[in-house]
Amino acid sequence: MAKENLKEQQLHERRFETRRQFFHLFLGIAIVSLYNYHILSARRMFIILVIGILISIASSKYKIPGIAWFLDRFERKHAKFPGQGAIYYILGCFTVIGLFPPDIASASILVLAAGDSFSTLVGKTFGKHKIGSKSIEGTVAGIVMGFLGAFVFVPALTAFLGAFVAMLAEALDIKLFNKVIDDNLLVTVVSAIVMYGWSLI
């Protein structure tokens, strides 16, 4: 009975993570598409971010219909506050859209959307060899998929360097003021800095 319960729990966790990561992927694709069709801008991303923060504060006190359903289906149990992943995701996208050229911003968002998603999925399914807190298998998958995403907007070498450094930074759990920087912010900003820096050389 205990073995069956464990298997059922593992299956439930795998389904949850798969659902979460595919949402993560399609959210990034949607943001990049809307941005490139001039529907989303840095100002509108900022408004979305502020609304998200207000909803998070309200959700910590009240069960909001629709939002509660969304959090149950996509939020990890160890999140420090409601909507943590989504808020950092939007913060990362807002930061790169506001600070970098459109091609670099779009490429870095796709490094996050594709690289981080597949890094988690492959790492949890096939990961056996550790690098930092992540697996080598997941990190390699993240670099490959992040590269493919970024390559839509920037040259191959630029895309590879952005994906490689960002996914390595994610695996090593980079800290700021003694706190690990959330992947959804770290990957986007690091990849944008690397790709923009390389484009200037």
Side-chain angles (χ1 to χ4, degrees), residues 20-32 45 76 84-97 103-121 134 138-139 141-151 153 159 162-171 181-192 195:
R20 188 176 188 277
Q21 295 307 323
F22 273 103
F23 175 77
H24 184 106
L25 173 65
F26 288 118
L27 177 61
I29 293 171
I31 288 172
V32 168
M45 287 297 294
R76 287 174 178 153
Q84 176 185 336
I87 287 173
Y88 277 112
Y89 199 109
I90 298 300
L91 176 59
C93 294
F94 162 68
T95 302
V96 297
I97 286 173
D103 57 341
I104 298 293
S106 298
S108 66
I109 293 170
L110 289 181
V111 171
L112 171 67
D116 192 42
S117 297
F118 280 91
S119 171
T120 300
L121 288 173
K134 307 295 168 69
T139 299
I143 291 169
V144 171
M145 297 306 296
F147 159 74
L148 291 175
F151 186 44
F153 291 97
F164 178 80
V165 177
M167 297 313 301
L168 190 61
E170 184 221 21
I181 304 172
D182 190 281
D183 294 348
N184 290 331
L185 176 60
L186 179 72
V187 170
T188 332
V189 174
V190 167
S191 61
M195 289 188 287

Side-chain angles (χ1 to χ4, degrees), residues 26-192:
F26 288 118
L27 177 61
I29 293 171
I31 288 172
V32 168
S33 300
L34 292 172
Y35 175 52
N36 281 276
Y37 279 106
H38 308 292
I39 296 169
L40 273 181
S41 61
R43 181 179 296 179
R44 288 173 182 172
M45 287 297 294
F46 179 71
I47 292 169
I48 293 169
L49 177 62
V50 171
I51 292 170
I53 291 170
L54 293 175
I55 290 172
S56 174
I57 293 169
S59 296
S60 65
K61 298 179 179 179
Y62 309 103
K63 194 165 186 176
I64 303 172
I67 301 298
W69 176 89
F70 179 86
L71 293 173
D72 285 341
R73 290 185 66 82
F74 296 105
E75 186 73 289
R76 287 174 178 153
K77 300 302 179 187
H78 60 265
K80 295 175 183 176
F81 53 86
Q84 176 185 336
I87 287 173
Y88 277 112
Y89 199 109
I90 298 300
L91 176 59
C93 294
F94 162 68
T95 302
V96 297
I97 286 173
L99 295 178
F100 296 94
D103 57 341
I104 298 293
S106 298
S108 66
I109 293 170
L110 289 181
V111 171
L112 171 67
D116 192 42
S117 297
F118 280 91
S119 171
T120 300
L121 288 173
V122 171
K124 286 185 177 293
T125 306
F126 304 106
K128 293 180 180 177
H129 306 90
K130 288 291 182 181
I131 173 173
S133 66
K134 307 295 168 69
S135 71
I136 292 175
E137 293 84 354
T139 299
V140 170
I143 291 169
V144 171
M145 297 306 296
F147 159 74
L148 291 175
F151 186 44
V152 174
F153 291 97
V154 296
L157 183 55
T158 306
F160 173 76
L161 290 172
F164 178 80
V165 177
M167 297 313 301
L168 190 61
E170 184 221 21
L172 297 176
D173 289 335
I174 303 297
K175 292 184 178 181
L176 183 65
F177 302 120
N178 248 3
K179 291 185 178 179
V180 175
I181 304 172
D182 190 281
D183 294 348
N184 290 331
L185 176 60
L186 179 72
V187 170
T188 332
V189 174
V190 167
S191 61

Side-chain angles (χ1 to χ4, degrees), residues 11-22:
L11 181 62
H12 173 75
E13 287 175 359
R14 197 176 299 121
R15 284 175 177 169
F16 167 81
E17 203 58 52
T18 300
R19 181 171 65 240
R20 188 176 188 277
Q21 295 307 323
F22 273 103

